[in-house]
């Protein structure tokens, strides 16, 4: 398959991919007793075993050369320096500077640290007052996926000081059920939207504010119970929220990277300021490793290149993420936005089409549940799906019933995917010959096992930053802009026109299918009947 760059390393990788078609991972381990040590790495409290992947020293060297041909080192330096690498929007993508403000200019550092101090003081005041039992975050996309993932993960460890809830989509039944469970006198509301024009957030904001006022919350009290986070200061001011409850997002922080900004306030409100600090410190350990110029010691670079290896050269259009802690169950959903919104592009930075397969489809779920559902496809299906197995070691429950079973399966599934079972092995077990084809497992299916030393904010920060930088590596090597998301806009704009049609306010022409659906559903909105 031709490259976007037509480089020598690209051609080398295409040649190596053909060679790997006839090679088996089981044989690689037999030939190299040190393979596990050679192809695994620990950074801080995060360990990754990538030895069960279709790589060897030659393939890895070619992948490193591919990254350098794409200008990886230069692009990485430009990102950390705050240059406008988001070329289509002429913005920096400087979320890493929120984790290390020393990267910022003096003026920006002062702004960011001032905003952070304001947030910390607000959280302390909320906790000191003990007025609130719940906080509802209204936002969608990057304004809720990251904070919700972290809050759900931390909830497995400790009881929140203020219980966090998240409203994203506009299904009225979900919203009504949530509000019915809350005391309006004891509920804080965080409205999180970079643009402050997102339709879902606007609809939910109106509904929740109406709920508060209908339940006796005065206009003055309402201002005390609502916090906003946005880059659109003008739109926020129209709500009449006092300045000490208004927090700013910088334009140079993309939505899906925004939990490092004031978008992370719900985490601090729920669990305390120390958890945000730990999250940032953990992420910074991965940032520091990502700045390592020794390629074979740079974990995010290695794993990002493996993602490219499978998607672009090994004909694997999907990748699955399997969490073996229930606390991490929202990880796949969070990564779907991070990876597919970043990599879901069909043209390069210069507008020319990408001439190789690029961003994979990300899916996943809880590992043990999946074993009784979609693992059938992973083990015996026609598709080869690279797997990320993720487990946080959880010593407090290590001796409780079920935890050992969970760990057993975490290890065994990656071995089973790699080793498989041959027809001869099935026959040796005494099975009927007619059943042999059904009981044979092809094996040779790649996986990476990621272990966290502990389930806490520090290690979550490491995990999130690792996937962020893997995504950056992919974007640079495919020569795309991984920091815009123009593809999400068309359907949103068209929804406005459909809304007019549903209400009988538009006579615009649509295709027969769209018109038919409008006709079927418009009766729901005929208020006169």
């Amino acid at each position: 398959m031709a490259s976007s760059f037509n480089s020598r390393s690209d051609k080398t990788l295409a040649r190596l991919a053909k060679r790997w078609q006839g090679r088996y991972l089981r044989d690689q381990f037999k030939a190299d007793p040190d393979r596990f040590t050679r192809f695994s790495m620990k950074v801080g409290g995060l360990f990754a075993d990538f030895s069960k992947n279709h790589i060897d020293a030659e393939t890895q060297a070619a992948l490193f050369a591919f990254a350098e041909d794409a200008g990886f080192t230069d692009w990485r330096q430009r990102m950390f320096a705050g240059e406008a690498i988001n070329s289509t929007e002429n913005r920096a993508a400087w979320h890493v500077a929120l984790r290390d403000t020393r990267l910022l200019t003096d003026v920006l550092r002062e702004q960011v640290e001032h905003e952070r101090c304001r947030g910390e003081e607000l959280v302390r005041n909320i906790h000191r007052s003990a007025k609130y039992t719940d906080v509802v975050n209204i936002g969608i996309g990057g304004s809720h996926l990251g904070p919700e993932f972290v809050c759900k993960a931390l909830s497995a460890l400790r009881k929140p000081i203020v219980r966090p809830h998240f409203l994203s989509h506009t299904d009225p039944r979900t919203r009504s059920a949530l509000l019915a469970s809350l005391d309006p006198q004891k509920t804080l509301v965080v409205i999180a939207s970079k643009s402050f024009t997102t339709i879902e957030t606007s609809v939910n904001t109106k509904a929740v504010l109406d709920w508060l006022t209908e339940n006796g919350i005065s206009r003055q009290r309402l201002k005390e119970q609502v916090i906003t986070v946005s880059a659109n200061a003008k739109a926020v001011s129209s709500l009449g929220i006092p300045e000490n409850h208004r927090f700013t997002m910088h334009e140079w922080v993309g939505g899906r990277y925004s939990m490092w900004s004031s978008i992370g306030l719900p985490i601090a409100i729920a669990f305390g300021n120390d958890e945000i600090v730990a999250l940032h410190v953990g992420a910074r350990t991965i940032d520091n490793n990502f700045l390592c110029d020794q390629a074979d010691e740079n974990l995010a670079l290695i794993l990002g290149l493996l993602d490219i290896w499978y998607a672009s050269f090994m004909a694997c259009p999907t990748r699955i993420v399997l969490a073996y802690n229930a606390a991490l169950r929202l990880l796949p959903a969070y990564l779907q936005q991070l990876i597919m919104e970043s990599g879901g592009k069909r043209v390069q930075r210069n507008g020319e089409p990408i001439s190789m397969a690029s961003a994979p489809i990300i899916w996943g779920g809880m590992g043990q549940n999946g074993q009784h559902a979609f693992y059938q496809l992973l083990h015996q299906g026609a598709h080869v799906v690279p797997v990320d197995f993720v487990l946080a070691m959880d010593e407090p429950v290590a001796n409780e019933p079920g935890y050992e079973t969970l760990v057993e399966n975490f290890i065994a599934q990656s071995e089973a995917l790699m080793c498989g079972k041959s027809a001869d092995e099935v026959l040796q077990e005494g099975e009927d010959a007619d059943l042999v084809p059904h009981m044979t497992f092809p094996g040779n299916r790649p996986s990476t096992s990621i272990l966290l030393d502990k389930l806490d904010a520090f290690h979550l920060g490491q995990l999130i930053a690792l996937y962020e930088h893997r995504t950056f590596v992919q974007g640079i090597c495919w020569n795309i802009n991984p920091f815009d998301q123009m593809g999400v806009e068309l359907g949103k704009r068209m929804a406005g026109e459909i809304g007019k049609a549903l209400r009988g306010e538009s006579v615009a022409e649509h295709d027969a299918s769209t018109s038919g659906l409008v006709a079927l559903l418009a009766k729901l909105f005929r208020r006169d009947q």
Side-chain angles (χ1 to χ4, degrees):
M1 186 177 293
S3 166
S4 297
F5 313 104
N6 198 29
S7 65
R8 180 180 298 178
S9 58
D10 179 6
K11 294 174 182 177
T12 300
L13 286 169
R15 174 178 58 79
L16 291 173
K18 290 181 180 178
R19 193 179 77 178
W20 273 100
Q21 290 175 9
R23 302 173 72 190
Y24 291 88
L25 287 169
R26 283 193 297 186
D27 298 334
Q28 302 304 309
F29 277 92
K30 291 176 183 176
D32 181 5
D34 295 325
R35 183 175 173 85
F36 172 72
T37 303
R38 195 185 317 279
F39 296 112
S40 63
M41 188 183 304
K42 185 164 188 178
V43 179
L46 184 150
F47 175 81
D49 168 21
F50 46 95
S51 61
K52 292 189 180 82
N53 283 281
H54 296 94
I55 55 166
D56 55 16
E58 184 181 9
T59 304
Q60 191 173 63
L63 286 167
F64 291 151
F66 184 66
E68 286 310 306
D69 284 348
F72 162 71
T73 301
D74 178 60
W75 281 104
R76 179 187 59 185
Q77 180 180 348
R78 292 177 64 190
M79 178 175 73
F80 276 82
E83 294 186 28
I85 62 172
N86 180 349
S87 53
T88 54
E89 297 175 316
N90 195 30
R91 295 173 183 167
W94 220 1
H95 47 279
V96 291
L98 295 176
R99 309 192 284 244
D100 186 354
T101 57
R102 293 172 298 179
L103 298 172
L104 295 166
T105 63
D106 290 343
V107 173
L108 282 177
R109 185 185 309 116
E110 184 177 346
Q111 291 175 3
V112 168
E113 291 181 349
H114 175 67
E115 194 79 353
R116 188 165 296 164
C117 288
R118 289 181 60 232
E120 290 174 349
E121 182 61 23
L122 175 70
V123 170
R124 283 192 291 269
N125 289 338
I126 290 169
H127 292 169
R128 276 197 296 259
S129 74
K131 289 184 193 176
Y132 303 106
T133 57
D134 298 88
V135 56
V136 176
N137 185 85
I138 302 174
I140 197 166
S143 296
H144 99 279
L145 284 165
E148 185 177 24
F149 164 56
V150 173
C151 283
K152 286 288 194 295
L154 293 179
S155 292
L157 303 176
R158 50 183 289 192
K159 184 178 179 181
I161 304 165
V162 180
R163 292 188 298 261
H165 310 275
F166 293 84
L167 267 181
S168 52
H169 61 78
T170 61
D171 186 331
R173 294 185 184 276
T174 300
R175 185 178 60 241
S176 297
L178 171 60
L179 297 181
S181 70
L182 303 176
D183 181 345
Q185 300 288 334
K186 298 180 178 181
T187 300
L188 273 169
V189 177
V190 176
I191 307 168
S193 172
K194 186 173 183 178
S195 68
F196 223 71
T197 59
T198 308
I199 186 62
E200 293 88 353
T201 301
S202 298
V203 168
N204 281 327
T205 293
K206 184 179 185 309
V208 172
L209 295 185
D210 286 348
W211 169 74
L212 288 171
T213 55
E214 289 164 5
N215 283 276
I217 304 299
S218 67
R219 178 178 289 273
Q220 184 57 40
R221 178 71 189 279
L222 191 68
K223 293 177 182 179
E224 298 174 9
Q225 287 185 228
V226 177
I227 300 162
T228 60
V229 183
S230 179
N232 189 344
K234 183 177 179 180
V236 169
S237 64
S238 67
L239 278 181
I241 305 302
E243 283 195 28
N244 66 327
H245 276 212
R246 287 188 247 161
F247 292 85
T248 301
M249 274 187 70
H250 291 281
E251 290 289 351
W252 40 264
V253 179
R256 52 196 173 277
Y257 302 91
S258 61
M259 79 165 77
W260 311 107
S261 72
S262 295
I263 290 290
L265 265 174
I267 303 169
I269 292 171
F271 297 99
N273 291 318
D274 288 348
E275 300 306 311
I276 290 290
V277 172
L279 195 73
H280 283 227
V281 172
R284 199 155 62 237
T285 66
I286 299 296
D287 293 343
N288 292 336
N289 179 257
F290 191 55
L291 287 167
C292 175
D293 286 326
Q294 187 69 31
D296 61 0
E297 296 178 5
N298 189 325
L299 181 58
L301 173 61
I302 292 168
L303 297 186
L305 288 170
L306 281 173
D307 298 335
I308 294 164
W309 172 234
Y310 290 115
S312 298
F313 297 96
M314 297 290 281
C316 298
T318 80
R319 180 155 54 89
I320 188 167
V321 178
L322 299 166
Y324 270 76
N325 306 80
L328 301 178
R329 62 189 178 277
L330 294 184
L331 177 62
Y334 167 71
L335 293 178
Q336 283 176 329
Q337 187 204 21
L338 173 66
I339 297 170
M340 291 199 287
E341 196 167 85
S342 298
K345 315 292 170 61
R346 57 179 293 277
V347 297
Q348 301 176 63
R349 290 177 181 272
N350 62 7
E352 295 293 321
I354 302 173
S355 55
M356 57 164 51
S358 56
I361 298 163
I362 303 299
W363 57 298
M366 288 173 57
Q368 278 186 301
N369 290 10
Q371 290 170 195
H372 299 269
F374 49 76
Y375 274 44
Q376 171 64 44
L377 181 145
L378 299 181
H379 284 287
Q380 289 187 309
H383 304 283
V384 175
V385 183
V387 180
D388 279 7
F389 291 101
V390 183
L391 173 71
M393 290 185 269
D394 199 351
E395 289 186 14
V397 297
N399 294 315
E400 293 185 18
Y403 190 75
E404 185 174 348
T405 301
L406 184 149
V407 173
E408 289 170 358
N409 281 277
F410 171 80
I411 299 171
Q413 291 295 333
S414 66
E415 182 182 34
L417 284 167
M418 181 191 74
C419 293
K421 183 181 283 190
S422 68
D424 287 344
E425 288 171 326
V426 175
L427 285 170
Q428 287 172 12
E429 292 176 351
E431 297 293 345
D432 190 301
D434 291 340
L435 292 177
V436 169
H438 303 282
M439 302 185 71
T440 299
F441 293 74
N444 209 32
R445 308 213 160 180
S447 66
T448 299
S449 297
I450 298 174
L451 275 170
L452 306 180
D453 279 354
K454 195 175 179 182
L455 186 56
D456 62 11
F458 173 87
H459 293 88
L460 287 174
Q462 285 202 295
L463 184 65
I464 292 165
L466 178 69
Y467 276 104
E468 285 181 350
H469 291 319
R470 284 171 68 168
T471 303
F472 173 80
V473 170
Q474 294 167 38
I476 297 311
C477 290
W478 287 320
N479 195 32
I480 61 175
N481 178 6
F483 298 111
D484 67 9
Q485 56 280 334
M486 295 181 181
V488 306
E489 296 301 323
L490 179 60
K492 288 162 63 175
R493 287 198 303 271
M494 293 176 74
E497 291 301 315
I498 296 299
K500 293 177 183 177
L502 288 170
R503 296 187 298 270
E505 298 170 3
S506 171
V507 292
E509 290 189 7
H510 299 280
D511 62 89
S513 170
T514 302
S515 296
L517 291 171
V518 167
L520 283 170
L521 291 166
K523 60 186 178 181
L524 292 171
F525 307 99
R526 291 174 186 161
R527 308 299 183 192
D528 56 339
Q529 294 183 4

